[in-house]
């Protein structure tokens, strides 16, 4: 991570309170006012692009910390200064193309949790696209699974085909030799409760790339017709003579999709790259510079990271000595308008 100054922390605290903490609007261009979906050209977006995402879990599970890292550019050690979430905090986050994540961060104190399943049940769980339920992996409180079970029941009654993602969080606190067994045991309990609902479990920590892996998979599940996007990336990868092409969301640097023509040993490379580049972007901001693109070359490969569409970055990796860097840059430039139109038309075609 990169250490920030007191001024940096104060500014992000202001943006957090203005843009995330109380559902208002800070200067973050990826946030919209409560109740409206913003678009720089149209002023408003089609309502079908709004995806309701519930972020739930008992108090102190780590929900706000992970949200601040993914969406508000905090680094892990800075999250200790964040307070508890009070009731439900709403934020609209402009994402890929015309998609907007309507993120509901639900406070985990017991009184709030009880109200979600009683007086607010229909309101909270209506029309949910994704439930992200965060478990503190070290907690032995029986209410963890009880509350999750109540969430599942409420989703079945109020939402159509919701997806459930469970994050077994703070896994770094579990001795490494025990992690697989702990994860498997908890996952089995979760799956038995989730039943027929689509569900996935992830072991996560704010101190490594596992958090980016989980959130990338969550966002991937929300992208309409993602298979078509992957086909186009495969064509682009072949046209560039590249080993791999990876598409990142611009603000969060979460992995959206990729095309791979060569096998790689590190299955977590995308999430590691997300983390590294996001930290580099932050360091550029602190030095009053703006990150635009970068090229990394050595004797084995050349990698380009560049702005692709208004909401994405692309990384093109090539190991073939005959592929000239200038040719790759031209290919990226020529593909921009096509992919922008493709992403926007895909979003607008989904009812």
């Amino acid at each position: 991570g990169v250490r920030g100054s007191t001024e940096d922390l104060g500014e992000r605290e202001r943006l957090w309170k203005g843009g995330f903490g109380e559902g208002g609007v800070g200067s973050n261009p990826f946030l919209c006012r409560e109740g409206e979906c913003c678009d720089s050209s149209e002023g408003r977006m089609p309502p079908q692009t709004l995806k309701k995402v519930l972020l739930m879990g008992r108090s102190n599970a780590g929900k706000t910390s992970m949200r601040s890292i993914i969406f508000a550019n905090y680094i892990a050690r800075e999250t200790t200064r964040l307070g508890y979430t009070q009731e439900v905090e709403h934020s609209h986050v402009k994402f890929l193309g015309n998609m907007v994540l309507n993120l509901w961060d639900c406070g985990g104190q017991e009184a709030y949790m009880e109200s979600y399943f009683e007086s607010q049940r229909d309101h909270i769980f209506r029309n949910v696209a994704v439930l992200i339920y965060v478990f503190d992996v070290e907690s032995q409180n029986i209410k963890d699974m009880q509350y999750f079970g109540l969430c599942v029941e409420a989703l079945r009654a109020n939402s159509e085909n919701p997806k459930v993602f469970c994050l077994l969080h703070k896994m770094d606190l579990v001795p490494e030799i025990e992690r697989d067994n702990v994860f498997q045991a908890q996952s089995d309990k979760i799956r038995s409760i989730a039943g027929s609902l689509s569900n996935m479990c992830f072991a996560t920590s704010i101190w490594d790339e596992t958090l980016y892996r989980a959130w990338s998979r969550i966002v991937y599940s929300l992208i309409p017709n993602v298979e078509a996007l992957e086909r186009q990336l495969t064509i682009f990868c072949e046209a560039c003579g590249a080993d791999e092409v990876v598409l990142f969301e611009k603000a969060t640097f979460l992995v959206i999709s990729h095309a791979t023509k060569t096998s790689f040993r590190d299955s977590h490379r995308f999430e590691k790259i997300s983390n590294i580049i996001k930290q580099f972007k932050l360091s550029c901001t602190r030095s009053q510079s703006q990150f635009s693109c970068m090229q990394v070359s050595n004797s084995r490969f050349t990698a380009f990271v560049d702005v692709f569409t208004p909401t994405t970055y692309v990384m093109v990796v090539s190991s073939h000595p005959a592929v000239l860097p200038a040719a790759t840059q031209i290919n990226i430039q020529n593909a921009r308008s096509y992919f922008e139109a493709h992403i926007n038309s895909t979003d607008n075609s989904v009812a």
Side-chain angles (χ1 to χ4, degrees):
V2 180
R3 185 176 299 277
S5 67
T6 304
E7 290 77 10
D8 294 326
L9 285 172
E11 173 65 8
R12 274 178 289 147
E13 185 77 9
R14 184 185 67 78
L15 291 178
W16 176 269
K17 291 298 183 185
F20 286 94
E22 297 170 0
V25 181
S27 60
N28 189 330
F30 291 90
L31 293 178
C32 308
R33 285 181 175 83
E34 181 65 22
E36 81 178 19
C37 302
C38 307
D39 177 71
S40 57
S41 59
E42 299 295 334
R44 294 183 65 82
M45 287 184 181
Q48 67 266 24
T49 61
L50 194 67
K51 304 288 187 180
K52 183 176 179 180
V53 179
L54 292 186
L55 180 59
M56 303 191 76
R58 291 183 66 245
S59 182
N60 204 37
K63 303 183 297 300
T64 301
S65 293
M66 65 173 63
R67 187 183 72 164
S68 68
I69 290 171
I70 297 296
F71 294 109
N73 293 333
Y74 276 65
I75 59 178
R77 63 173 164 267
E78 296 170 355
T79 61
T80 55
R81 68 198 303 260
L82 296 171
Y84 291 106
T85 301
Q86 302 294 319
E87 298 183 353
V88 180
E89 295 180 356
H90 302 270
S91 55
H92 285 182
V93 184
K94 186 178 177 183
F95 213 72
L96 179 68
N98 291 331
M99 186 168 71
V100 175
L101 303 185
N102 181 14
L103 185 61
W104 295 38
D105 185 355
C106 302
Q109 291 89 334
E110 190 166 332
Y112 297 148
M113 295 294 283
E114 295 292 342
S115 72
Y116 303 151
F117 306 121
E118 295 173 2
S119 60
Q120 300 188 67
R121 186 173 188 263
D122 294 345
H123 173 63
I124 295 288
F125 294 96
R126 184 186 301 123
N127 298 327
V128 174
V130 164
L131 166 67
I132 304 169
Y133 199 95
V134 183
F135 292 89
D136 181 344
V137 74
E138 285 203 316
S139 173
Q140 301 297 319
N141 195 314
I142 192 173
K143 287 190 174 181
D144 289 326
M145 290 297 173
Q146 288 179 347
Y147 284 148
F148 176 64
L150 291 172
C151 286
V152 169
E153 292 177 10
L155 283 175
R156 286 198 176 105
N158 292 279
S159 296
E160 185 177 353
N161 301 321
K163 297 179 176 69
V164 177
F165 294 88
C166 293
L167 308 188
L168 301 175
H169 198 47
K170 305 183 183 180
M171 191 60 77
D172 56 288
L173 300 179
V174 178
E176 189 169 358
I177 195 172
E178 300 175 14
R179 288 177 189 173
D180 288 345
N181 290 336
V182 169
F183 177 75
Q184 190 60 52
Q186 292 288 83
S187 298
D188 290 344
K189 291 179 184 178
I190 288 167
R191 292 191 182 99
S192 67
I193 294 171
S196 60
L197 285 185
S198 171
N199 66 90
M200 292 185 69
C201 296
F202 294 91
T204 58
S205 168
I206 63 173
W207 299 102
D208 59 30
E209 71 279 355
T210 55
L211 190 63
Y212 281 89
R213 177 174 180 265
W215 278 85
S216 290
R217 188 63 186 83
I218 292 166
V219 169
Y220 179 90
S221 75
L222 291 170
I223 299 172
N225 201 13
V226 70
E227 295 83 5
L229 179 59
E230 289 176 339
R231 287 195 296 271
Q232 298 305 319
L233 279 179
T234 299
I235 293 171
F236 178 60
C237 185
E238 292 173 348
C240 290
D243 298 330
E244 190 162 60
V245 172
V246 187
L247 198 63
F248 299 94
E249 199 278 326
K250 188 175 181 179
T252 62
F253 248 86
L254 294 174
V255 177
I256 296 170
S257 186
H258 68 95
T260 304
K261 309 298 290 183
T262 303
S263 60
F264 292 91
R265 289 180 296 176
D266 190 349
S267 61
H268 300 294
R269 62 191 180 280
F270 301 145
E271 296 77 32
K272 292 176 180 177
I273 292 168
S274 291
N275 202 2
I276 291 168
I277 295 180
K278 193 166 185 181
Q279 299 309 316
F280 181 68
K281 283 182 66 180
L282 288 176
S283 68
C284 290
T285 300
R286 289 167 184 144
S287 62
Q288 299 183 340
S289 301
Q290 185 173 356
F291 176 82
S292 176
C293 61
M294 67 186 299
Q295 175 183 339
V296 178
S297 299
N298 62 24
S299 59
R300 294 180 296 171
F301 71 89
T302 298
F304 290 91
V305 179
D306 203 350
V307 175
F308 203 41
T309 73
T311 54
T312 63
Y313 271 84
V314 69
M315 181 177 72
V316 180
V317 181
S318 178
S319 62
H320 200 293
V323 177
L324 299 177
T328 300
Q329 290 176 309
I330 291 172
N331 284 330
I332 292 173
Q333 179 179 339
N334 290 340
R336 281 183 178 127
S337 59
Y338 175 81
F339 272 89
E340 180 179 356
H342 178 78
I343 289 171
N344 289 335
S345 64
T346 299
D347 286 345
N348 292 331
S349 67
V350 178

